[in-house]
Amino acid sequence: IEEDELLVEEEVRPEFTPEFYIDQLPEGMSVLDSIAKARNFAYYQLGVIYKEKFKRDDLAISRLENLIAFNPAEKLLLPGLYNLYLIYNESGAFAKADIYKSRIINEFPDTRYAQILLNPDAKIEDNASPGAVYKRLYKEYEKGNYEIVVSNVERYVTLFNGDPIVPRLELLKAFAAGRLYGFEEYKRGIDFVALNFPNTEVGKSAQQLVLEAEKLKIAEAFMPEQGLSDFKLVYRLEKTNYQGIENLKNQLEKAIEQEKYAFTVSVDVYNPQENLIVVHGLTSKLGSRGLGDFMANPSNGFNVTTTAVPIATENYKIIQVYKSLDKYEEEML
């Protein structure tokens, strides 16, 4: 008797099926956008490495021109165009270089790249060494003279073009611009350093700062202030009103000493036009308003006519990050 042979189908392992891999393909616009951004950044980095480290202009051009064809975000597009301009200009292909130069100037006239291209021969009368200039500007930064830092860095990077001090100056400018104009300007500044000086220690530090800034979530919406216990009283004055700022600060300190309050006073940079005179250490919005009313009452001997704005400390941080004091006054007072 012959028995029928029983055929048993062997189970196929998932990794040997096409469905296993198809299911892992990325889907959705957010995922695809993320992949495109990573690809674009990789092409930019390769282009710069081939240009600066290996001196392979042919490979640098290939990667950077591919990057431009992908139509990347402006923060990659601009340095990509600028590096292509430099490569072609230095190799004597001036017609090709002019194409990229014209595109930068015409499409992005207000950027640092356009200013550099428009003023390539700018000269500055300064006999100080690059290191001495940096130390001088850093001291201005420590004193809160952020406008001086920003304007002088823009001048000195042209004078010291090619010197190792340039990325340090640019990073210092990014910090100063952030204090003047807010968080978004700070991010633009560190992006510039990370993308234009990727093979320097300063550039690598800037790359880390970029990653940290992207992870940092600072809410733009103001917090409800009911129940909070840390407040400031803020006066805003024109930055050029030096005497008014000094007088108000002195009056506040005199009142604090006279009334034996445990408060402190500071003059904080707000933006290029205004400084803020700030009383710290108040514990409620009502108490902050009370101090403002006390300073405004002529019978108390002070007669401060400048408007006082009571602000919770958490909302004061938001105001300084986004330069949104006007918005606070509209929404919260």
Side-chain angles (χ1 to χ4, degrees):
I1 301 172
E2 294 183 2
E3 294 182 358
D4 292 337
E5 187 176 327
L6 184 63
L7 296 177
V8 179
E9 186 178 343
E10 184 178 349
E11 184 179 350
V12 180
R13 290 167 59 183
E15 57 266 36
F16 295 131
T17 66
E19 289 78 10
F20 177 80
Y21 298 98
I22 291 171
D23 289 342
Q24 296 184 56
L25 291 174
E27 296 179 356
M29 286 306 299
S30 61
V31 177
L32 295 175
D33 284 346
S34 177
I35 293 172
K37 288 178 182 177
R39 175 205 61 198
N40 292 347
F41 188 59
Y43 268 78
Y44 175 79
Q45 285 190 309
L46 280 171
V48 174
I49 290 170
Y50 282 133
K51 170 181 174 284
E52 296 183 359
K53 190 170 183 179
F54 298 113
K55 309 301 180 185
R56 288 294 305 273
D57 286 350
D58 55 335
L59 295 177
I61 288 170
S62 171
R63 299 307 185 276
L64 292 172
E65 288 188 338
N66 279 333
L67 168 67
I68 303 306
F70 293 141
N71 193 28
E74 183 178 316
K75 76 174 190 177
L76 286 177
L77 176 60
L78 265 170
L81 292 170
Y82 184 68
N83 275 285
L84 283 167
Y85 161 77
L86 291 177
I87 293 170
Y88 282 120
N89 193 59
E90 289 167 5
S91 65
F94 302 118
K96 194 75 173 175
D98 282 342
I99 293 173
Y100 293 106
K101 177 179 179 180
S102 297
R103 184 171 176 186
I104 293 170
I105 292 171
N106 293 330
E107 295 182 23
F108 310 98
D110 298 324
T111 62
R112 290 274 295 111
Y113 297 97
Q115 297 308 310
I116 292 170
L117 292 173
L118 288 168
N119 301 285
D121 299 318
K123 299 297 180 184
I124 306 168
E125 294 300 325
D126 197 305
N127 296 321
S129 68
V133 167
Y134 179 84
K135 288 179 181 178
R136 186 168 73 227
L137 291 179
Y138 189 80
K139 287 180 181 178
E140 295 292 346
Y141 176 83
E142 290 182 314
K143 291 189 287 187
N145 295 326
Y146 305 123
E147 280 186 282
I148 292 175
V149 174
V150 170
S151 61
N152 277 275
V153 166
E154 290 176 354
R155 296 169 58 237
Y156 281 114
V157 293
T158 301
L159 179 67
F160 299 142
N161 184 33
D163 190 277
I165 203 68
V166 169
R168 294 181 66 192
L169 286 169
E170 290 284 9
L171 189 59
L172 182 62
K173 179 194 168 189
F175 284 113
R179 298 298 296 271
L180 269 180
Y181 303 108
F183 188 56
E184 293 303 317
E185 190 65 29
Y186 164 73
K187 288 200 293 184
R188 277 191 287 272
I190 58 176
D191 265 342
F192 181 89
V193 178
L195 292 169
N196 284 277
F197 309 100
N199 297 320
T200 67
E201 289 303 315
V202 176
K204 291 172 184 175
S205 297
Q207 291 171 24
Q208 186 59 41
L209 291 173
V210 169
L211 294 175
E212 292 171 3
E214 288 174 351
K215 294 177 184 176
L216 190 61
K217 303 295 183 184
I218 303 174
E220 292 188 55
F222 299 115
M223 294 180 59
E225 296 184 331
Q226 185 176 359
L228 298 181
S229 58
D230 190 357
F231 280 79
K232 303 182 187 299
L233 188 66
V234 176
Y235 297 87
R236 55 195 304 183
L237 276 79
E238 292 292 323
K239 183 173 287 189
T240 54
N241 186 3
Y242 306 110
Q243 192 60 55
I245 291 172
E246 186 66 23
N247 289 343
L248 178 54
K249 183 174 182 290
N250 290 339
Q251 285 183 298
L252 288 166
E253 289 175 338
K254 182 179 178 182
I256 288 168
E257 182 179 3
Q258 174 183 300
E259 301 299 317
K260 295 181 170 56
Y261 293 134
F263 307 144
T264 58
V265 182
S266 69
V267 178
D268 297 353
V269 172
Y270 177 58
N271 62 28
Q273 293 76 41
E274 293 179 292
N275 277 347
L276 303 178
I277 296 82
V278 185
V279 182
H280 308 266
L282 296 133
T283 57
S284 70
K285 194 157 194 169
L286 184 62
S288 302
R289 284 200 182 101
L291 177 59
D293 293 340
F294 178 84
M295 298 302 300
N297 191 337
S299 65
N300 294 322
F302 297 103
N303 193 26
V304 173
T305 58
T306 305
T307 301
V309 183
I311 304 176
T313 296
E314 289 302 313
N315 284 333
Y316 182 74
K317 294 175 184 176
I318 294 172
I319 284 166
Q320 282 289 22
V321 167
Y322 294 107
K323 306 302 175 184
S324 53
L325 183 52
D326 289 336
K327 182 181 177 184
Y328 178 88
E329 292 182 359
E330 291 172 7
E331 295 181 3
M332 305 293 288
L333 296 184

